[in-house]
Amino acid sequence: QTVCRRADGSMIAIFEHGDVTHEEGKPEMFRNRPTTMAQCGGKACSLVHLDDRIAASWMRGTRHVTVIGSRNIDEVARLAEALN
């Protein structure tokens, strides 16, 4: 895991983890929140809106990548492309 600080001082957290999906198919950390699916950087992503930020999770090989604190779906797509 890593926490990155943007030039404006805001932060984004990035985690790589094994399969932690709930029986409904959602990542465990998202299971009580409404999720939407989107294509982000060519990856199928689960998105959760958290106030003015987004949490996103996608598969990278056999592992998941989860990003918490993205500003918008464009930022998620850039991260998904860069991290794969």
Side-chain angles (χ1 to χ4, degrees), residues 6-71:
R6 296 182 185 96
D8 67 1
S10 63
M11 292 184 283
I12 191 167
I14 303 170
F15 304 88
E16 181 186 10
H17 49 93
D19 187 15
V20 291
T21 55
H22 191 260
E23 58 269 4
E24 294 147 8
K26 293 181 182 180
E28 183 71 24
M29 66 185 74
F30 297 163
R31 77 172 170 188
N32 294 324
R33 299 177 187 268
T35 60
T36 57
M37 295 299 293
Q39 286 293 313
C40 304
K43 296 288 185 179
C45 295
S46 297
L47 304 173
V48 175
H49 292 271
L50 308 166
D51 298 323
D52 63 340
R53 299 286 188 234
I54 297 173
S57 186
W58 64 88
M59 291 296 296
R60 180 176 183 257
T62 60
R63 313 243 328 137
H64 287 86
V65 174
T66 298
V67 174
I68 299 174
S70 297
R71 291 185 171 135

Side-chain angles (χ1 to χ4, degrees), residues 52-54 70-78:
D52 63 340
R53 299 286 188 234
I54 297 173
S70 297
R71 291 185 171 135
N72 54 49
I73 196 157
D74 293 332
E75 185 174 53
V76 173
R78 286 191 306 274

